[in-house]
Amino acid sequence: MEVKFYDSVDDALLEFAVIIARSEGKWVICKHKERDTFEVPGGHREENEAISDTARRELYEETGAVEFSIEPLCAYSVTGRTRVNETGEESFGMLYCAEIKVFEKELHSEIEKVILMDELPTKWTYPLIQPLLMEEYQRRIQDGNQKEEEI
């Protein structure tokens, strides 16, 4: 399994949106109804859907977020077979960061529950991918904060 990060890629290549979200200073983590593992919100881009719309839709569907800010962080690719990529060929997605202010009271998706966590889980649904996405998020956010402090 290989995960790479890019500042940008051709929009036509983007198949997935993954959103690393925080709320009240905590990580927003999802638990799927059919799994005993944890994941961040995200999913497949639908036909003729802008990738930014995919991110907003998936964030709402999987967390119930109704009031939030969201912005793209970087593009990424995964090479290797996964549950959502049977061929193992390189597939591309966009990584977003979000701050959720208000959640709906109940979920209307395959997600069993949303947990606000101080620490990241260790039992990921995609253990060879999700920790790397989190590391890249933290690196880019930390770098961004350092640049703001330098100004």
Side-chain angles (χ1 to χ4, degrees):
M1 186 77 51
E2 183 178 21
V3 179
K4 295 180 185 176
F5 296 96
Y6 308 90
D7 288 330
S8 64
V9 298
D10 183 343
D11 180 76
L13 294 173
L14 297 170
E15 300 176 53
F16 305 95
V18 173
I19 308 95
I20 296 175
R22 305 217 6 121
S23 184
E24 301 175 11
K26 298 180 186 289
W27 300 107
V28 178
I29 304 297
C30 301
K31 187 200 168 293
H32 193 284
K33 290 176 181 174
E34 298 174 359
R35 298 190 270 275
D36 293 326
T37 53
F38 299 96
E39 50 203 71
V40 292
H44 288 84
R45 182 182 200 174
E46 294 181 357
E47 191 173 342
N48 299 318
E49 183 177 49
I51 196 68
S52 59
D53 291 339
T54 304
R56 285 190 287 277
R57 176 179 53 76
E58 290 289 350
L59 185 63
Y60 168 72
E61 287 176 1
E62 296 194 355
T63 69
V66 290
E67 190 178 320
F68 56 88
S69 60
I70 187 169
E71 58 186 66
L73 189 63
C74 66
Y76 70 92
S77 71
V78 176
T79 305
R81 289 191 169 174
T82 66
R83 181 177 297 154
V84 295
N85 181 1
E86 293 178 9
T87 68
E89 292 180 15
E90 188 173 29
S91 61
F92 292 86
M94 182 63 76
L95 184 61
Y96 287 83
C97 55
E99 182 68 33
I100 302 173
K101 294 172 185 59
V102 178
F103 295 88
E104 273 190 337
K105 296 209 185 312
E106 46 179 275
L107 297 171
H108 308 282
S109 71
E110 69 277 7
I111 300 301
E112 178 182 315
K113 62 183 172 180
V114 174
I115 307 162
L116 300 182
M117 303 177 89
D118 288 317
E119 301 292 325
L120 292 171
T122 55
K123 198 172 177 186
W124 291 105
T125 300
Y126 301 98
L128 300 176
I129 301 169
Q130 291 166 313
L132 298 176
L133 298 179
M134 298 304 294
E135 286 173 16
E136 186 68 10
Y137 164 88
Q138 290 175 313
R139 186 185 71 76
R140 286 180 182 251
I141 294 298
Q142 184 176 3
D143 285 354
N145 289 340
Q146 287 175 348
K147 287 177 186 170
E148 285 178 17
E149 291 172 8
E150 291 171 5
I151 295 176

